[in-house]
Amino acid sequence: MINVNKTAIRVIAISIVLLTSGYLFTQSFYYQNHFNANDYNDIITKPSVLSNTNKAPQRISFPDDYFHYGSFYQHENPETLTYPHNRFKAAFITFVKNDKASLSKLRFTVRNLEDQFNKHHHYPYIIFTDQDLDDEFRELASSLAGEATMRFEKVGSDLYGYEPTTDLKKAEEARIALNNTMFGDSEDYRFQSRFMAGTIYRHPLMQELDYSWRFEAGTEYICPMEEDPFQFMYENKKTTSFSMALYEYRETIPTLFQTVLDYASKHSHWIQPSGDPKTLWHFVLDENNMFNGCHLWNNFQIADVSFYRGEKYQSFFNYLDTANGIFYERWGDPVIQSLGATLFLTKDDIHFWDNIGYRVANYFTHCPSEKSLYSRCTCRPEENFDFNGYSCLKFY
């Protein structure tokens, strides 16, 4: 009797499944032949439209801002920065635009910096921009900084814009002439180059800093950092630092080096002698004593801010700024800062971060060569840009 009942139950259950499947199939076939693709939104958002198949489904309308979440976010920009100790003041700095892509890149790198280093130290962030960043942007970015403070600072056209004497027509002609070169046709690239090369150090927030860690949104730090790079710079009295060196496009700097030499001839009492092997002259000069285009990349740069806001460097930057090569050609901030270091510093003042893994644009990679380091990194030593033919590290 028991076996009969179990068999009957199985038959009934299977019958129910088959009947239900058949019903659902016929309903699906019906709707596929009676509703067009534009009705799909109605079906999933208002199931009641399926209850009466004799009536055409009614579309549901939403307010224009229905899916906008900006009103969910509120952000108070901190008035002051909090530093982790009183021996020196140091902060991360960068420049961003107010768009979704920039926000995503910024969040990626901040998350990366926090995970690899700053969650143990809580150095603050200064996010410069020339645009108004909404609450959503600021909240989503700052929420990743953990216990570190993050301040957003809008800069004016005096710092982010044309040099006062720039001939705008001539600048436009230069962008047209360089439209086949990377960033050659970009006005905004030149604004940012001028800002990051020199005018940023005139900003009030930069006056209180001893050290800055410049990072670029979207870049990646691919190894955990147990040592504090800020503390290393402070204890070893280093002025600036880098992790990669490469060539500049020659077509973007046809008169730059001559302008640098002109400045050097007028300020010879400040200039490092070219015969000193500790200087960078051998790094930037070829066998004919002409500029070879080599420069230290500064999208990852930890530096003593007092050098860049000081009399020597600012005098040099102002000379190049009024020459307007940033706008009449396409002088980039890495090559400007590298030539400034050549004039005023020696290799003893500069640190090469061989132990910090770093990646730009998912291509340019510095991967530590020691197994104790790369075994903890998300890179392979053979990816190291130092071995690339376009690297200038071999001349350093």
Side-chain angles (χ1 to χ4, degrees):
M1 184 68 177
I2 293 176
N3 291 335
V4 173
N5 287 340
K6 285 184 176 180
T7 301
I9 290 171
R10 289 193 186 101
V11 171
I12 292 171
I14 293 171
S15 299
I16 292 173
V17 170
L18 292 174
L19 288 171
T20 302
S21 299
Y23 174 79
L24 292 175
F25 175 79
T26 56
Q27 291 297 306
S28 174
F29 179 81
Y30 176 86
Y31 292 124
Q32 287 178 8
N33 287 275
H34 287 77
F35 295 132
N36 58 43
N38 292 329
D39 296 321
Y40 181 68
N41 185 59
D42 297 328
I43 296 173
I44 62 173
T45 57
K46 190 176 180 183
S48 60
V49 301
L50 302 180
S51 62
N52 188 347
T53 56
N54 294 323
K55 294 182 179 180
Q58 301 297 311
R59 293 195 59 78
I60 300 173
S61 61
F62 297 97
D64 292 340
D65 62 349
Y66 185 84
F67 294 106
H68 178 66
Y69 300 99
S71 59
F72 294 179
Y73 301 105
Q74 293 183 346
H75 179 271
E76 289 291 333
N77 206 23
E79 294 185 3
T80 59
L81 298 175
T82 302
Y83 302 99
H85 49 70
N86 58 12
R87 287 174 296 169
F88 56 83
K89 293 181 178 180
F92 296 96
I93 63 170
T94 193
F95 184 92
V96 299
K97 290 291 188 177
N98 184 28
D99 57 75
K100 301 302 182 185
S102 296
L103 173 59
S104 296
K105 291 178 181 179
L106 177 61
R107 297 187 79 230
F108 172 83
T109 304
V110 170
R111 175 75 279 158
N112 192 250
L113 284 167
E114 288 294 311
D115 289 343
Q116 302 289 29
F117 167 70
N118 202 42
K119 65 184 178 182
H120 302 300
H121 300 276
H122 316 308
Y123 288 104
Y125 295 82
I126 305 174
I127 313 299
F128 290 102
T129 182
D130 67 320
Q131 300 173 326
D132 292 316
L133 304 178
D134 58 27
D135 283 344
E136 178 183 3
F137 190 111
R138 293 185 295 173
E139 171 62 22
L140 288 177
S142 61
S143 64
L144 295 177
E147 296 182 34
T149 54
M150 180 178 288
R151 179 176 172 84
F152 300 89
E153 190 70 16
K154 183 180 178 181
V155 294
S157 59
D158 57 330
L159 300 184
Y160 191 86
Y162 287 106
E163 197 276 334
T165 64
T166 306
D167 182 329
L168 300 186
K169 181 63 176 177
K170 190 174 180 179
E172 181 184 13
E173 292 170 351
R175 295 196 302 273
I176 295 172
L178 287 170
N179 66 345
N180 291 323
T181 301
M182 183 177 291
F183 306 123
D185 61 348
S186 173
E187 180 182 51
D188 205 62
Y189 174 86
R190 290 168 170 83
F191 290 159
Q192 188 165 337
S193 290
R194 180 171 180 257
F195 180 67
M196 299 307 292
T199 62
I200 184 176
Y201 302 104
R202 303 172 189 168
H203 192 279
L205 285 178
M206 299 299 288
Q207 306 311 306
E208 68 181 56
L209 291 184
D210 298 305
Y211 294 93
S212 64
W213 179 327
R214 177 181 170 180
F215 72 95
E216 184 173 304
T219 57
E220 183 179 7
Y221 294 83
I222 51 184
C223 307
M225 290 174 248
E226 296 179 355
E227 182 181 44
D228 183 341
F230 283 126
Q231 186 171 329
F232 177 89
M233 296 288 290
Y234 171 75
E235 292 178 349
N236 292 277
K237 296 179 172 55
K238 297 296 183 180
T239 302
T240 191
S241 60
F242 72 102
S243 68
M244 281 187 270
L246 66 165
Y247 296 96
E248 179 60 291
Y249 295 103
R250 290 188 178 275
E251 64 269 25
T252 68
I253 53 169
T255 68
L256 172 59
F257 193 61
Q258 185 57 54
T259 307
V260 172
L261 293 180
D262 292 344
Y263 172 84
S265 68
K266 298 174 182 178
H267 301 81
S268 57
H269 58 292
W270 280 343
I271 308 305
Q272 292 288 342
S274 59
D276 186 344
K278 289 187 176 182
T279 68
L280 291 186
W281 285 107
H282 67 280
F283 172 67
V284 301
L285 294 177
D286 62 19
E287 61 276 9
N288 299 314
N289 283 330
M290 300 297 292
F291 183 41
N292 58 14
C294 286
H295 61 283
L296 310 177
W297 235 6
N298 64 356
N299 46 31
F300 164 39
Q301 176 200 66
I302 304 175
D304 181 341
V305 180
S306 66
F307 168 72
Y308 289 104
R309 66 172 180 243
E311 180 184 6
K312 292 181 182 179
Y313 182 81
Q314 281 296 310
S315 168
F316 166 71
F317 171 74
N318 290 338
Y319 190 86
L320 267 57
D321 195 27
T322 54
N324 268 297
I326 294 173
F327 298 106
Y328 298 160
E329 295 176 10
R330 200 224 66 180
W331 299 353
D333 56 281
V335 70
I336 290 174
Q337 289 195 338
S338 295
L339 289 170
T342 301
L343 295 183
F344 307 123
L345 302 178
T346 69
K347 289 182 67 175
D348 291 339
D349 302 312
I350 303 169
H351 183 66
F352 170 56
W353 296 110
D354 190 32
N355 62 327
I356 294 182
Y358 179 62
R359 182 178 289 131
V360 182
N362 204 33
Y363 173 74
F364 298 96
T365 301
H366 176 74
C367 189
S369 55
E370 293 184 22
K371 185 175 182 180
S372 62
L373 296 173
Y374 71 68
S375 62
R376 299 182 295 120
C377 306
T378 58
C379 63
R380 304 189 312 276
E382 58 266 31
E383 294 178 315
N384 203 332
F385 184 73
D386 299 349
F387 308 131
N388 190 295
Y390 290 100
S391 172
C392 284
L393 191 64
K394 54 185 174 288
F395 303 124
Y396 182 72

